[in-house]
Amino acid sequence: MSDAHKSDLLLVTVTLLAAISWMFSKEAVLLMPPLLFMAVRFLIAGGFLAIIAWRPLSRLSRDQLKRGVGVGLVFGVAMSFWVMGLFHGTSMGEGAFLTSLGVLIVPVIARLAFKEIQPASTWLAIPVAVAGLALLSLRHGFQPEPGQIFFVAAATIFALYFTLNTRAANQRTAVDRQGKTIEKHRIPALPLTAIALVTVGLVTLVESLVLEPWQPTFSSPPPLLIWWVLASAIVGTAGRFLVQTYAQSLATHSHGAVILVLEPVWVSLFAAGWFGETMTPVQLAGCGLIFTALIVNRWGALSKALRASFRKRQTG
């Protein structure tokens, strides 16, 4: 099996781990305050990865550490909105599709904030996604649920996080305040992920200290709670990022850009099987439009991968 095929299979595994993590997280927030859950989950996951990445972490410069923490701060705010959406939301499948809107918002932020030119497929995908969002929210007039608002806010901030994370993980040049061109060294994927996850844990810990009661959770924790938290931290967070990082290192050209859009589909299927969730035909149509927008947005990567695969078969 080629490295590209291994990468594709591992990325399918990543989408499954991500979807399973939604189930673990939902079970956990039913038993403890949501922000406290995020703090414990990400501190465990980030600490686990920090131990693995200890040597590369110790070699980072002050500027690299600063940029890594900045990425984590934005990620922490996004995850705070996400977990509140999960806590207040009535449908995890719907929430997963709403969160996936972040993929479509990334090019918009990259264009507005960093003047990056985007392909035409991006601008074709956005109105399709907006139509899908409308079908999810326009029930008896414009009456979005609190969970939907939290998920859409999370998707928007996730888009900023994705953009900053990409810039931090790649070598680039920048202009400082004196007009001098300086080199911004890339932050390796593993230490960058560890820094970001620990920072998310600290951000949500502070939020939880201010906003949530802790005593009920620690005075009489339900027996299953520890398992949901550990499963979410190790399998759904640390495990997922480790597998994804390894998969992306195997091949520069794979179907990964399209495979990752499978996550909301898996979440919907698992939510139906695990929690017995159902969607109305209008909701299903809205999710379908959002999924279509994701495919349109990534059509360039998909068509390129298909052409490369076809050429390889012809030459083979």
Side-chain angles (χ1 to χ4, degrees), residues 68-252:
V69 171
V71 170
L73 288 173
V74 176
F75 192 18
V77 175
M79 291 304 301
S80 300
F81 278 99
W82 176 82
V83 78
M84 295 308 293
L86 187 65
F87 182 70
H88 291 284
T90 57
S91 170
M92 278 189 296
E94 178 185 283
F97 279 98
L98 290 174
T99 305
S100 70
L101 288 171
V103 174
L104 303 176
I105 303 172
V106 167
V108 178
I109 288 183
R111 176 63 178 171
L112 294 177
F114 303 108
K115 311 300 181 185
E116 295 179 11
I117 298 175
Q118 302 300 326
S121 59
T122 294
W123 310 112
L124 291 173
I126 290 174
V128 179
V130 170
L133 181 60
L135 288 181
L136 290 176
S137 302
L138 297 178
R139 306 176 206 165
H140 313 295
F142 185 71
Q143 295 180 355
E145 299 174 353
Q148 292 175 329
I149 296 173
F150 279 119
F151 280 130
V152 171
T156 304
I157 303 170
F158 274 134
L160 178 58
Y161 155 69
F162 292 147
T163 304
L164 295 176
N165 195 49
T166 300
R167 292 171 67 84
N170 289 276
Q171 196 86 1
R172 61 186 178 86
T173 56
V175 179
D176 63 14
R177 293 178 180 177
Q178 286 74 39
K180 296 179 180 179
T181 300
I182 56 175
E183 193 74 18
K184 290 287 186 179
H185 297 287
R186 63 181 291 271
I187 308 173
L190 190 55
L192 174 58
T193 303
I195 293 170
L197 296 189
V198 170
T199 305
V200 171
L202 294 174
V203 168
T204 50
L205 182 66
V206 171
E207 292 171 341
S208 180
L209 280 170
V210 174
L211 300 172
E212 295 176 333
W214 284 22
Q215 186 175 354
T217 301
F218 292 106
S219 60
S220 55
L224 280 176
L225 179 57
I226 296 174
W227 295 108
W228 293 131
V229 172
L230 288 176
S232 181
I234 302 300
V235 177
T237 307
R240 170 195 175 181
F241 281 111
L242 277 174
V243 174
Q244 183 171 333
T245 301
Y246 177 63
Q248 291 175 327
S249 72
L250 288 177
T252 55

